[in-house]
Amino acid sequence: MGEQKVKKLVLVVFCALSSLSLQAQEEPLTSTQKEQPTIYELTDSNSTTLLMNRTSKYTHLKVDKKTYYSDDAIEADLKKWWVTCYKKPFDNKKVCSMHSGDLSVFLINGKYSVDVGNDHYPNTKAGLRIDNGSAIYGYEGEIPNPLNVIEKLKKGKTAYTRYQEWPYTYDVDNEIDLSRFSEHFNKMLKQYKEL
């Protein structure tokens, strides 16, 4: 999943949370107040927990928890490595993936794949450069020799990606921190073995 998809996911989550507060009467901000990203955990009389991203005038709800998210924390969250593993029930295919930004590593039924970007413009090259090494190119994001590339990612500090996203033909360049790549790669392997 690319950084744009993660941002879209964050936006969807915040939209879903704000839809809970549509019935609430919002307090207008004065010129001295600054709205901060906040998640409120509210409990109604039936002990049902609701999450909202704005304060409410409902007096029958008690605020159990307030969580503040700085812009730096949200940005740092987008730079994390995400690991996902599952087994497909239809054919028992084991699938694991890890991604950060535009860089993804897959392990599907024992075979590795390294991909750059998503929604590629048809028949275009995508590139990956690790630290000051030579760029490695593959068509529509699939980088060749995944095992060699994974070993380089484990030893690297920074990965640079380039691809062309549909429907545009201009380059999308990104930078990915590899400082915790090995840790998350090992986590993915462990989860894969447990499937």
Side-chain angles (χ1 to χ4, degrees):
M1 197 182 297
E3 184 174 313
Q4 291 176 336
K5 286 187 180 179
V6 173
K7 287 181 181 177
K8 287 178 186 175
L9 178 62
V10 169
L11 178 62
V12 168
V13 169
F14 278 108
C15 288
L17 291 173
S18 64
S19 70
L20 291 173
S21 64
L22 283 177
Q23 297 174 352
Q25 302 269 331
E26 300 296 331
E27 292 182 23
L29 295 175
T30 65
S31 60
T32 59
Q33 290 177 315
K34 183 178 177 185
E35 187 174 0
Q36 294 180 340
T38 306
I39 303 293
Y40 294 92
E41 185 175 316
L42 305 169
T43 307
D44 66 10
S45 59
N46 296 331
S47 297
T48 304
T49 301
L50 306 169
L51 296 176
M52 305 181 81
N53 68 339
R54 293 201 168 93
T55 55
S56 169
K57 285 189 175 182
Y58 285 119
T59 56
H60 65 283
L61 297 175
K62 179 183 99 182
V63 176
D64 286 340
K65 181 179 176 183
K66 272 188 189 182
T67 306
Y68 296 95
Y69 293 96
S70 69
D71 291 339
D72 293 338
I74 292 170
E75 184 65 28
D77 200 40
L78 294 174
K79 293 181 179 180
K80 283 184 181 178
W81 283 96
W82 299 89
V83 176
T84 306
C85 290
Y86 59 93
K87 193 172 192 177
K88 291 187 173 185
F90 182 79
D91 55 8
N92 290 323
K93 186 183 283 189
K94 294 164 69 170
V95 179
C96 282
S97 66
M98 60 181 282
H99 68 272
S100 180
D102 291 329
L103 182 60
S104 301
V105 175
F106 296 93
L107 176 55
I108 302 171
N109 272 356
K111 294 184 180 181
Y112 291 96
S113 173
V114 176
D115 289 9
V116 169
N118 55 60
D119 299 327
H120 299 91
Y121 195 87
N123 300 315
T124 57
K125 286 185 181 179
L128 171 66
R129 187 167 62 88
I130 301 163
D131 297 327
N132 292 321
S134 301
I136 307 162
Y137 292 96
Y139 282 95
E140 296 187 12
E142 192 168 338
I143 303 300
N145 303 314
L147 291 175
N148 292 338
V149 173
I150 290 168
E151 289 306 312
K152 290 178 182 179
L153 291 168
K154 287 179 182 179
K155 297 173 187 169
K157 293 181 181 175
T158 306
Y160 303 94
T161 61
R162 174 177 283 176
Y163 71 101
Q164 293 181 354
E165 190 173 35
W166 176 265
Y168 310 103
T169 56
Y170 58 82
D171 291 333
V172 177
D173 292 350
N174 284 299
E175 184 176 316
I176 295 103
D177 178 16
L178 298 175
S179 61
R180 298 184 67 202
F181 177 86
S182 291
E183 173 188 339
H184 287 87
F185 183 76
N186 291 334
K187 177 181 175 183
M188 181 179 77
L189 291 179
K190 182 180 178 193
Q191 288 182 17
Y192 182 84
K193 288 176 185 175
E194 293 172 355
L195 290 177

